[in-house]
Amino acid sequence: MPIRDRLFELRDPKYAAFQAKLTPNVPTERFIGVRVPDARRLAKSLSDGLEATEFLTRLPHDYYDEDVLHALLVSEMRDYETCIAAVDLFLPHVDNWAVCDVMSPKAFKGHKADLLDKIRGWSSSRETYTCRFGLEMLMTHFLDDNFEADLLEVPASVHSEEYYVNMMIAWFFATALAKQWDATVPYLQRGSLAPWVHNKTIQKARESRRVTDEQKAYLKTLKR
């Protein structure tokens, strides 16, 4: 059965309407209504098969749900170089935050140096979702064991008018405050971030359970 037909078999019209409200920049007719857990199971069943390989070359896709499946298939790839090529092929076709954020390649683990070079390139892109993806990968892979303080300059150096880029920067710094407080809080003390990003970072950090009450109280004093 063709992949599109499989997606339509999983269709939930109510979920399609719900997802359309969350991603208002995507035309409503592009939504089939496949829930992410169902799409993820489909991706796992298709990964490594010829059908999936052919599907990944058929860009752009007509449906949002095909984009989600594409992102999940890329996430299942095991070979790093193949995965990077697939990501670079797909990113120009990503046009919303949900597809961007669902793509989290397993192959990226264990490739710190090479991945960091790619992240720097993606993060400096003027394309909204390429930039957002790069920043999210930096947040995912470099705020724990691989953390280095100078990496905070990557998101701090991004200046954008795009809402979904600025939200990602705020999300990054809020997460960094929870994980690497001492290295991160000076960016707020110095006012290094754009005012909206600065205040959104504080808001998101104060909503986090990983930030202490004392830290939250201090962050409140830094609002601009």
Side-chain angles (χ1 to χ4, degrees), residues 70-197:
H70 192 122
L72 293 172
L73 285 168
V74 171
S75 298
E76 289 295 319
M77 289 180 171
R78 297 183 180 89
D79 180 75
Y80 176 76
E81 295 297 339
T82 302
C83 183
I84 286 290
V87 168
D88 283 337
L89 181 66
F90 184 49
L91 280 176
H93 302 282
V94 175
D95 62 359
N96 64 86
W97 68 268
V99 170
C100 178
D101 291 4
V102 82
M103 185 162 57
S104 185
K106 297 176 181 178
F108 284 3
K109 295 179 180 179
H111 293 273
K112 177 183 175 182
D114 292 339
L115 178 59
L116 187 54
D117 285 342
K118 292 298 298 184
I119 283 173
R120 291 183 188 277
W122 292 325
S123 299
S124 64
S125 173
R126 293 185 178 182
E127 296 298 322
T128 297
Y129 298 103
T130 300
C131 178
R132 182 180 172 97
F133 177 75
L135 294 174
E136 186 172 0
M137 291 302 98
L138 186 68
M139 180 177 71
T140 300
H141 295 283
F142 289 91
L143 283 183
D144 294 300
D145 294 341
N146 294 324
F147 177 74
E148 296 175 5
D150 62 351
L151 293 178
L152 296 174
E153 285 297 315
V154 175
S157 66
V158 175
H159 303 287
S160 175
E161 298 297 321
E162 293 290 340
Y163 172 81
Y164 289 107
V165 170
N166 287 327
M167 276 296 294
M168 186 66 243
I169 298 171
W171 182 13
F172 179 97
F173 275 101
T175 305
L177 285 168
K179 293 187 173 186
Q180 304 290 345
W181 172 270
D182 290 342
T184 307
V185 74
Y187 283 81
L188 299 177
Q189 294 168 330
R190 295 193 301 263
S192 301
L193 307 178
W196 188 92
V197 174

Side-chain angles (χ1 to χ4, degrees), residues 43-89:
K44 287 182 181 295
S45 72
L46 292 169
S47 62
D48 297 330
L50 179 60
E51 191 176 11
T53 301
E54 293 176 348
F55 175 79
L56 292 173
T57 65
R58 294 199 298 268
L59 288 166
H61 298 300
D62 292 331
Y63 290 98
Y64 161 88
D65 306 75
E66 291 176 324
D67 285 337
V68 170
L69 180 63
H70 192 122
L72 293 172
L73 285 168
V74 171
S75 298
E76 289 295 319
M77 289 180 171
R78 297 183 180 89
D79 180 75
Y80 176 76
E81 295 297 339
T82 302
C83 183
I84 286 290
V87 168
D88 283 337
L89 181 66

